[in-house]
CSV table of all heavy atoms in Angstrom, one decimal:
chain,number,residue,atom,x,y,z
A,160,ASP,N,50.1,9.7,-204.1
A,160,ASP,CA,49.6,10.3,-205.3
A,160,ASP,C,48.1,10.4,-205.2
A,160,ASP,O,47.4,9.4,-205.0
A,160,ASP,CB,50.0,9.4,-206.5
A,160,ASP,CG,49.5,9.9,-207.8
A,160,ASP,OD1,48.3,9.9,-208.1
A,160,ASP,OD2,50.4,10.4,-208.6
A,161,GLU,N,47.6,11.6,-205.4
A,161,GLU,CA,46.1,11.9,-205.2
A,161,GLU,C,45.3,11.1,-206.1
A,161,GLU,O,44.2,10.6,-205.7
A,161,GLU,CB,45.9,13.4,-205.3
A,161,GLU,CG,46.5,14.3,-204.3
A,161,GLU,CD,45.9,14.1,-202.9
A,161,GLU,OE1,44.7,13.7,-202.8
A,161,GLU,OE2,46.6,14.3,-201.9
A,162,ASN,N,45.7,10.9,-207.3
A,162,ASN,CA,44.9,10.2,-208.3
A,162,ASN,C,44.9,8.7,-208.0
A,162,ASN,O,43.9,8.0,-208.1
A,162,ASN,CB,45.4,10.4,-209.7
A,162,ASN,CG,45.1,11.8,-210.2
A,162,ASN,OD1,44.2,12.5,-209.7
A,162,ASN,ND2,45.9,12.3,-211.1
A,163,TYR,N,46.0,8.2,-207.5
A,163,TYR,CA,46.1,6.8,-207.1
A,163,TYR,C,45.2,6.6,-205.9
A,163,TYR,O,44.4,5.6,-205.8
A,163,TYR,CB,47.5,6.4,-206.7
A,163,TYR,CG,47.6,5.1,-205.9
A,163,TYR,CD1,47.4,3.9,-206.5
A,163,TYR,CD2,47.8,5.2,-204.5
A,163,TYR,CE1,47.5,2.7,-205.8
A,163,TYR,CE2,47.9,4.0,-203.8
A,163,TYR,CZ,47.7,2.8,-204.4
A,163,TYR,OH,47.7,1.6,-203.7
A,164,LEU,N,45.2,7.5,-204.9
A,164,LEU,CA,44.3,7.3,-203.8
A,164,LEU,C,42.9,7.4,-204.2
A,164,LEU,O,42.0,6.7,-203.6
A,164,LEU,CB,44.6,8.4,-202.8
A,164,LEU,CG,46.0,8.3,-202.1
A,164,LEU,CD1,46.3,9.6,-201.3
A,164,LEU,CD2,46.0,7.1,-201.1
A,165,ASP,N,42.5,8.2,-205.2
A,165,ASP,CA,41.1,8.2,-205.7
A,165,ASP,C,40.8,6.8,-206.3
A,165,ASP,O,39.7,6.3,-206.0
A,165,ASP,CB,41.0,9.2,-206.8
A,165,ASP,CG,41.0,10.7,-206.2
A,165,ASP,OD1,40.7,10.8,-205.0
A,165,ASP,OD2,41.2,11.6,-207.0
A,166,VAL,N,41.7,6.2,-207.0
A,166,VAL,CA,41.5,4.9,-207.7
A,166,VAL,C,41.3,3.9,-206.6
A,166,VAL,O,40.3,3.1,-206.6
A,166,VAL,CB,42.6,4.5,-208.6
A,166,VAL,CG1,42.5,3.1,-209.0
A,166,VAL,CG2,42.7,5.4,-209.8
A,167,LEU,N,42.1,3.9,-205.6
A,167,LEU,CA,42.0,2.9,-204.5
A,167,LEU,C,40.7,3.0,-203.7
A,167,LEU,O,40.0,2.0,-203.4
A,167,LEU,CB,43.2,3.0,-203.6
A,167,LEU,CG,43.3,2.0,-202.4
A,167,LEU,CD1,43.3,0.6,-202.9
A,167,LEU,CD2,44.6,2.3,-201.6
A,168,SER,N,40.4,4.3,-203.4
A,168,SER,CA,39.2,4.5,-202.6
A,168,SER,C,37.9,4.1,-203.3
A,168,SER,O,37.0,3.5,-202.8
A,168,SER,CB,39.1,5.9,-202.1
A,168,SER,OG,39.0,6.8,-203.2
A,169,ASN,N,37.9,4.4,-204.6
A,169,ASN,CA,36.8,4.0,-205.5
A,169,ASN,C,36.6,2.5,-205.6
A,169,ASN,O,35.5,1.9,-205.5
A,169,ASN,CB,36.9,4.6,-206.8
A,169,ASN,CG,36.6,6.1,-206.8
A,169,ASN,OD1,35.9,6.6,-206.0
A,169,ASN,ND2,37.2,6.8,-207.8
A,170,SER,N,37.8,1.8,-205.6
A,170,SER,CA,37.7,0.3,-205.7
A,170,SER,C,37.2,-0.3,-204.4
A,170,SER,O,36.4,-1.2,-204.4
A,170,SER,CB,39.2,-0.2,-206.0
A,170,SER,OG,39.2,-1.6,-205.9
A,171,ILE,N,37.7,0.3,-203.3
A,171,ILE,CA,37.2,-0.2,-202.0
A,171,ILE,C,35.7,0.1,-201.8
A,171,ILE,O,34.9,-0.7,-201.4
A,171,ILE,CB,38.0,0.5,-200.9
A,171,ILE,CG1,39.5,0.0,-200.9
A,171,ILE,CG2,37.4,0.2,-199.5
A,171,ILE,CD1,40.4,0.8,-200.0
A,172,LYS,N,35.3,1.3,-202.2
A,172,LYS,CA,33.9,1.7,-202.0
A,172,LYS,C,33.0,0.8,-202.8
A,172,LYS,O,31.9,0.4,-202.3
A,172,LYS,CB,33.7,3.2,-202.6
A,172,LYS,CG,32.3,3.7,-202.3
A,172,LYS,CD,32.3,5.2,-202.8
A,172,LYS,CE,30.9,5.8,-202.5
A,172,LYS,NZ,30.9,7.3,-202.9
A,173,LYS,N,33.3,0.4,-204.0
A,173,LYS,CA,32.5,-0.5,-204.8
A,173,LYS,C,32.3,-1.9,-204.1
A,173,LYS,O,31.3,-2.6,-204.4
A,173,LYS,CB,33.1,-0.7,-206.2
A,173,LYS,CG,32.9,0.5,-207.1
A,173,LYS,CD,33.3,0.3,-208.5
A,173,LYS,CE,34.8,0.2,-208.6
A,173,LYS,NZ,35.3,0.1,-210.1
A,174,GLN,N,33.3,-2.3,-203.3
A,174,GLN,CA,33.3,-3.6,-202.7
A,174,GLN,C,32.8,-3.6,-201.3
A,174,GLN,O,32.6,-4.7,-200.7
A,174,GLN,CB,34.7,-4.2,-202.8
A,174,GLN,CG,35.2,-4.4,-204.2
A,174,GLN,CD,36.6,-5.0,-204.2
A,174,GLN,OE1,36.8,-6.2,-203.8
A,174,GLN,NE2,37.6,-4.3,-204.6
A,175,LEU,N,32.7,-2.5,-200.7
A,175,LEU,CA,32.3,-2.4,-199.2
A,175,LEU,C,30.9,-3.0,-199.1
A,175,LEU,O,29.9,-2.6,-199.8
A,175,LEU,CB,32.3,-1.0,-198.7
A,175,LEU,CG,33.6,-0.5,-198.0
A,175,LEU,CD1,33.4,1.0,-197.7
A,175,LEU,CD2,33.9,-1.4,-196.8
A,176,PRO,N,30.6,-3.9,-198.1
A,176,PRO,CA,29.3,-4.3,-197.9
A,176,PRO,C,28.4,-3.2,-197.3
A,176,PRO,O,28.9,-2.2,-196.8
A,176,PRO,CB,29.5,-5.4,-196.8
A,176,PRO,CG,30.8,-5.1,-196.1
A,176,PRO,CD,31.6,-4.4,-197.2
A,177,GLU,N,27.1,-3.3,-197.5
A,177,GLU,CA,26.2,-2.3,-197.0
A,177,GLU,C,26.3,-2.1,-195.5
A,177,GLU,O,26.3,-0.9,-195.0
A,177,GLU,CB,24.8,-2.6,-197.4
A,177,GLU,CG,23.8,-1.5,-197.1
A,177,GLU,CD,22.4,-1.9,-197.7
A,177,GLU,OE1,22.3,-2.8,-198.5
A,177,GLU,OE2,21.4,-1.2,-197.3
A,178,ASN,N,26.4,-3.1,-194.8
A,178,ASN,CA,26.5,-3.0,-193.3
A,178,ASN,C,27.8,-3.7,-192.8
A,178,ASN,O,28.1,-4.8,-193.1
A,178,ASN,CB,25.3,-3.7,-192.6
A,178,ASN,CG,24.0,-3.1,-193.0
A,178,ASN,OD1,23.8,-1.9,-192.8
A,178,ASN,ND2,23.0,-3.8,-193.5
A,179,PHE,N,28.6,-2.9,-192.1
A,179,PHE,CA,29.8,-3.5,-191.5
A,179,PHE,C,30.1,-2.7,-190.2
A,179,PHE,O,29.8,-1.5,-190.1
A,179,PHE,CB,31.0,-3.4,-192.5
A,179,PHE,CG,31.4,-2.0,-192.9
A,179,PHE,CD1,32.4,-1.4,-192.2
A,179,PHE,CD2,30.7,-1.4,-193.9
A,179,PHE,CE1,32.8,-0.1,-192.6
A,179,PHE,CE2,31.1,-0.1,-194.3
A,179,PHE,CZ,32.1,0.5,-193.7
A,180,ASP,N,30.7,-3.4,-189.3
A,180,ASP,CA,31.1,-2.7,-188.0
A,180,ASP,C,32.5,-2.0,-188.1
A,180,ASP,O,32.7,-1.0,-187.5
A,180,ASP,CB,31.2,-3.7,-186.9
A,180,ASP,CG,29.9,-4.4,-186.6
A,180,ASP,OD1,28.8,-3.7,-186.8
A,180,ASP,OD2,29.8,-5.6,-186.3
A,181,LEU,N,33.4,-2.6,-188.9
A,181,LEU,CA,34.7,-2.0,-189.0
A,181,LEU,C,35.3,-2.3,-190.4
A,181,LEU,O,35.1,-3.4,-190.9
A,181,LEU,CB,35.6,-2.7,-187.9
A,181,LEU,CG,37.0,-2.2,-187.8
A,181,LEU,CD1,37.0,-0.8,-187.1
A,181,LEU,CD2,37.8,-3.1,-186.9
A,182,LEU,N,36.1,-1.4,-190.9
A,182,LEU,CA,36.9,-1.6,-192.1
A,182,LEU,C,38.4,-1.7,-191.6
A,182,LEU,O,38.9,-0.7,-191.1
A,182,LEU,CB,36.8,-0.5,-193.1
A,182,LEU,CG,37.7,-0.5,-194.3
A,182,LEU,CD1,37.5,-1.8,-195.1
A,182,LEU,CD2,37.5,0.7,-195.2
A,183,LEU,N,38.9,-2.9,-191.7
A,183,LEU,CA,40.3,-3.2,-191.2
A,183,LEU,C,41.3,-3.1,-192.4
A,183,LEU,O,41.2,-3.7,-193.4
A,183,LEU,CB,40.4,-4.6,-190.6
A,183,LEU,CG,41.7,-4.9,-190.0
A,183,LEU,CD1,42.0,-4.1,-188.7
A,183,LEU,CD2,41.8,-6.4,-189.7
A,184,PHE,N,42.3,-2.2,-192.2
A,184,PHE,CA,43.3,-2.0,-193.2
A,184,PHE,C,44.5,-2.9,-192.7
A,184,PHE,O,45.1,-2.6,-191.7
A,184,PHE,CB,43.8,-0.6,-193.3
A,184,PHE,CG,42.9,0.3,-194.0
A,184,PHE,CD1,41.7,0.7,-193.4
A,184,PHE,CD2,43.1,0.8,-195.3
A,184,PHE,CE1,40.8,1.6,-194.1
A,184,PHE,CE2,42.3,1.6,-196.0
A,184,PHE,CZ,41.1,2.0,-195.4
A,185,SER,N,44.8,-4.0,-193.4
A,185,SER,CA,45.8,-4.9,-193.0
A,185,SER,C,47.0,-4.8,-194.0
A,185,SER,O,46.9,-5.2,-195.2
A,185,SER,CB,45.3,-6.4,-193.0
A,185,SER,OG,46.3,-7.3,-192.7
A,186,TYR,N,48.1,-4.3,-193.5
A,186,TYR,CA,49.3,-4.1,-194.4
A,186,TYR,C,50.3,-5.2,-194.1
A,186,TYR,O,50.3,-5.8,-193.0
A,186,TYR,CB,49.9,-2.8,-194.1
A,186,TYR,CG,49.1,-1.6,-194.5
A,186,TYR,CD1,48.1,-1.0,-193.6
A,186,TYR,CD2,49.3,-0.9,-195.7
A,186,TYR,CE1,47.4,0.0,-194.0
A,186,TYR,CE2,48.5,0.2,-196.1
A,186,TYR,CZ,47.6,0.6,-195.2
A,186,TYR,OH,46.8,1.7,-195.6
A,187,HIS,N,51.1,-5.5,-195.1
A,187,HIS,CA,52.2,-6.5,-194.9
A,187,HIS,C,53.1,-6.0,-193.8
A,187,HIS,O,53.5,-4.8,-193.8
A,187,HIS,CB,53.0,-6.8,-196.1
A,187,HIS,CG,53.7,-8.0,-196.1
A,187,HIS,ND1,54.9,-8.2,-195.3
A,187,HIS,CD2,53.5,-9.2,-196.6
A,187,HIS,CE1,55.3,-9.4,-195.4
A,187,HIS,NE2,54.6,-10.1,-196.2
A,188,GLY,N,53.5,-6.8,-192.8
A,188,GLY,CA,54.3,-6.4,-191.7
A,188,GLY,C,55.8,-6.3,-192.1
A,188,GLY,O,56.2,-6.8,-193.2
A,189,LEU,N,56.5,-5.6,-191.3
A,189,LEU,CA,58.0,-5.5,-191.4
A,189,LEU,C,58.6,-5.6,-190.0
A,189,LEU,O,58.0,-5.1,-189.0
A,189,LEU,CB,58.4,-4.1,-192.0
A,189,LEU,CG,58.2,-3.8,-193.5
A,189,LEU,CD1,58.7,-2.4,-193.7
A,189,LEU,CD2,58.9,-4.8,-194.3
A,190,PRO,N,59.8,-6.1,-189.9
A,190,PRO,CA,60.5,-6.0,-188.6
A,190,PRO,C,60.7,-4.5,-188.3
A,190,PRO,O,61.1,-3.7,-189.2
A,190,PRO,CB,61.9,-6.7,-188.9
A,190,PRO,CG,61.6,-7.5,-190.1
A,190,PRO,CD,60.6,-6.8,-190.9
A,191,GLU,N,60.6,-4.2,-187.1
A,191,GLU,CA,60.8,-2.8,-186.7
A,191,GLU,C,62.2,-2.3,-187.1
A,191,GLU,O,62.3,-1.1,-187.4
A,191,GLU,CB,60.6,-2.6,-185.2
A,191,GLU,CG,59.1,-2.8,-184.7
A,191,GLU,CD,58.9,-2.5,-183.2
A,191,GLU,OE1,59.9,-2.3,-182.5
A,191,GLU,OE2,57.8,-2.6,-182.8
A,192,ARG,N,63.2,-3.1,-187.0
A,192,ARG,CA,64.5,-2.7,-187.4
A,192,ARG,C,64.6,-2.2,-188.8
A,192,ARG,O,65.5,-1.3,-189.1
A,192,ARG,CB,65.5,-3.8,-187.1
A,192,ARG,CG,65.4,-5.0,-188.0
A,192,ARG,CD,66.4,-6.1,-187.8
A,192,ARG,NE,66.2,-7.2,-188.7
A,192,ARG,CZ,65.4,-8.2,-188.5
A,192,ARG,NH1,64.6,-8.2,-187.4
A,192,ARG,NH2,65.3,-9.2,-189.4
A,193,HIS,N,63.8,-2.7,-189.7
A,193,HIS,CA,63.8,-2.2,-191.1
A,193,HIS,C,63.4,-0.7,-191.2
A,193,HIS,O,63.9,0.0,-192.0
A,193,HIS,CB,62.8,-3.0,-192.0
A,193,HIS,CG,63.3,-4.3,-192.4
A,193,HIS,ND1,62.9,-5.0,-193.5
A,193,HIS,CD2,64.3,-5.1,-191.8
A,193,HIS,CE1,63.5,-6.1,-193.6
A,193,HIS,NE2,64.4,-6.3,-192.6
A,194,ILE,N,62.5,-0.3,-190.3
A,194,ILE,CA,62.1,1.1,-190.3
A,194,ILE,C,63.2,2.0,-189.8
A,194,ILE,O,63.5,3.0,-190.4
A,194,ILE,CB,60.9,1.3,-189.3
A,194,ILE,CG1,59.7,0.4,-189.7
A,194,ILE,CG2,60.5,2.8,-189.3
A,194,ILE,CD1,59.1,0.7,-191.1
A,195,TYR,N,64.0,1.5,-188.8
A,195,TYR,CA,65.1,2.3,-188.3
A,195,TYR,C,66.2,2.3,-189.4
A,195,TYR,O,66.9,3.4,-189.6
A,195,TYR,CB,65.7,1.7,-187.0
A,195,TYR,CG,64.7,1.8,-185.9
A,195,TYR,CD1,64.3,0.6,-185.2
A,195,TYR,CD2,64.2,3.0,-185.4
A,195,TYR,CE1,63.4,0.7,-184.1
A,195,TYR,CE2,63.3,3.1,-184.4
A,195,TYR,CZ,62.9,1.9,-183.7
A,195,TYR,OH,62.1,2.0,-182.7
A,196,LYS,N,66.4,1.2,-190.1
A,196,LYS,CA,67.5,1.2,-191.1
A,196,LYS,C,67.3,2.1,-192.3
A,196,LYS,O,68.2,2.5,-192.9
A,196,LYS,CB,67.7,-0.3,-191.5
A,196,LYS,CG,68.4,-1.2,-190.5
A,196,LYS,CD,68.8,-2.5,-191.2
A,196,LYS,CE,69.7,-3.3,-190.2
A,196,LYS,NZ,70.1,-4.6,-190.8
A,197,THR,N,66.0,2.3,-192.7
A,197,THR,CA,65.8,3.1,-193.8
A,197,THR,C,65.6,4.6,-193.5
A,197,THR,O,65.3,5.4,-194.4
A,197,THR,CB,64.5,2.6,-194.6
A,197,THR,OG1,63.4,2.6,-193.7
A,197,THR,CG2,64.7,1.2,-195.1
A,198,ASP,N,65.7,4.9,-192.2
A,198,ASP,CA,65.5,6.3,-191.8
A,198,ASP,C,66.8,7.1,-191.9
A,198,ASP,O,67.7,6.9,-191.1
A,198,ASP,CB,65.0,6.3,-190.3
A,198,ASP,CG,64.9,7.8,-189.8
A,198,ASP,OD1,64.9,8.7,-190.6
A,198,ASP,OD2,64.9,7.9,-188.5
A,199,PRO,N,66.9,8.0,-192.9
A,199,PRO,CA,68.1,8.7,-193.1
A,199,PRO,C,68.4,9.7,-192.0
A,199,PRO,O,69.6,10.1,-191.7
A,199,PRO,CB,67.9,9.5,-194.4
A,199,PRO,CG,66.4,9.6,-194.5
A,199,PRO,CD,65.9,8.4,-193.9
A,200,THR,N,67.4,10.1,-191.2
A,200,THR,CA,67.6,11.1,-190.2
A,200,THR,C,68.0,10.5,-188.8
A,200,THR,O,68.4,11.1,-187.9
A,200,THR,CB,66.3,11.9,-189.9
A,200,THR,OG1,65.3,11.0,-189.4
A,200,THR,CG2,65.7,12.5,-191.2
A,201,LYS,N,67.8,9.1,-188.7
A,201,LYS,CA,68.0,8.4,-187.5
A,201,LYS,C,67.3,9.0,-186.3
A,201,LYS,O,67.8,8.9,-185.2
A,201,LYS,CB,69.6,8.4,-187.2
A,201,LYS,CG,70.4,7.8,-188.3
A,201,LYS,CD,69.9,6.4,-188.8
A,201,LYS,CE,70.6,5.9,-190.0
A,201,LYS,NZ,70.1,4.6,-190.5
A,202,GLN,N,66.1,9.5,-186.6
A,202,GLN,CA,65.3,10.1,-185.5
A,202,GLN,C,64.0,9.3,-185.3
A,202,GLN,O,63.1,9.7,-184.5
A,202,GLN,CB,65.0,11.6,-185.8
A,202,GLN,CG,66.2,12.4,-185.8
A,202,GLN,CD,65.9,13.9,-186.2
A,202,GLN,OE1,64.8,14.2,-186.6
A,202,GLN,NE2,67.0,14.7,-186.2
A,203,CYS,N,63.7,8.3,-186.1
A,203,CYS,CA,62.5,7.5,-186.0
A,203,CYS,C,62.3,6.9,-184.7
A,203,CYS,O,63.2,6.4,-184.1
A,203,CYS,CB,62.5,6.5,-187.1
A,203,CYS,SG,61.0,5.5,-187.2
A,204,ARG,N,61.0,7.0,-184.2
A,204,ARG,CA,60.8,6.4,-182.9
A,204,ARG,C,59.7,5.3,-182.8
A,204,ARG,O,59.4,4.7,-181.8
A,204,ARG,CB,60.3,7.6,-181.9
A,204,ARG,CG,61.3,8.7,-181.8
A,204,ARG,CD,60.8,9.8,-180.8
A,204,ARG,NE,59.6,10.4,-181.2
A,204,ARG,CZ,59.6,11.5,-182.0
A,204,ARG,NH1,60.7,12.0,-182.5
A,204,ARG,NH2,58.4,12.0,-182.4
A,205,ILE,N,59.0,5.1,-184.0
A,205,ILE,CA,57.9,4.1,-184.1
A,205,ILE,C,57.0,4.3,-182.9
A,205,ILE,O,56.8,3.5,-182.0
A,205,ILE,CB,58.4,2.7,-184.1
A,205,ILE,CG1,59.5,2.5,-185.2
A,205,ILE,CG2,57.3,1.7,-184.3
A,205,ILE,CD1,59.9,1.1,-185.5
A,206,ASP,N,56.3,5.5,-182.9
A,206,ASP,CA,55.4,5.8,-181.8
A,206,ASP,C,54.1,6.5,-182.5
A,206,ASP,O,54.0,6.5,-183.7
A,206,ASP,CB,56.0,6.7,-180.8
A,206,ASP,CG,56.5,8.0,-181.3
A,206,ASP,OD1,56.1,8.4,-182.5
A,206,ASP,OD2,57.4,8.6,-180.7
A,207,ASN,N,53.3,7.0,-181.7
A,207,ASN,CA,52.1,7.6,-182.3
A,207,ASN,C,52.3,9.1,-182.5
A,207,ASN,O,51.3,9.9,-182.6
A,207,ASN,CB,50.9,7.4,-181.3
A,207,ASN,CG,50.4,6.0,-181.4
A,207,ASN,OD1,50.5,5.3,-182.4
A,207,ASN,ND2,50.0,5.4,-180.2
A,208,VAL,N,53.5,9.6,-182.6
A,208,VAL,CA,53.8,11.0,-182.8
A,208,VAL,C,54.6,11.1,-184.2
A,208,VAL,O,54.2,11.8,-185.1
A,208,VAL,CB,54.6,11.6,-181.7
A,208,VAL,CG1,55.0,13.1,-182.0
A,208,VAL,CG2,53.8,11.5,-180.4
Side-chain angles (χ1 to χ4, degrees):
D160 182 286
E161 293 293 331
N162 292 333
Y163 165 74
L164 290 167
D165 287 341
V166 169
L167 180 57
S168 64
N169 287 333
S170 174
I171 295 171
K172 186 176 182 179
K173 285 188 288 187
Q174 299 181 67
L175 267 178
E177 187 174 346
N178 296 306
F179 62 95
D180 298 325
L181 184 74
L182 173 59
L183 183 70
F184 287 73
S185 179
Y186 293 85
H187 198 287
L189 284 182
E191 290 184 356
R192 65 180 183 274
H193 282 205
I194 302 296
Y195 294 123
K196 283 189 172 185
T197 57
D198 174 20
T200 69
K201 303 306 175 187
Q202 296 175 355
C203 182
R204 299 185 297 275
I205 307 186
D206 56 21
N207 288 325
V208 177

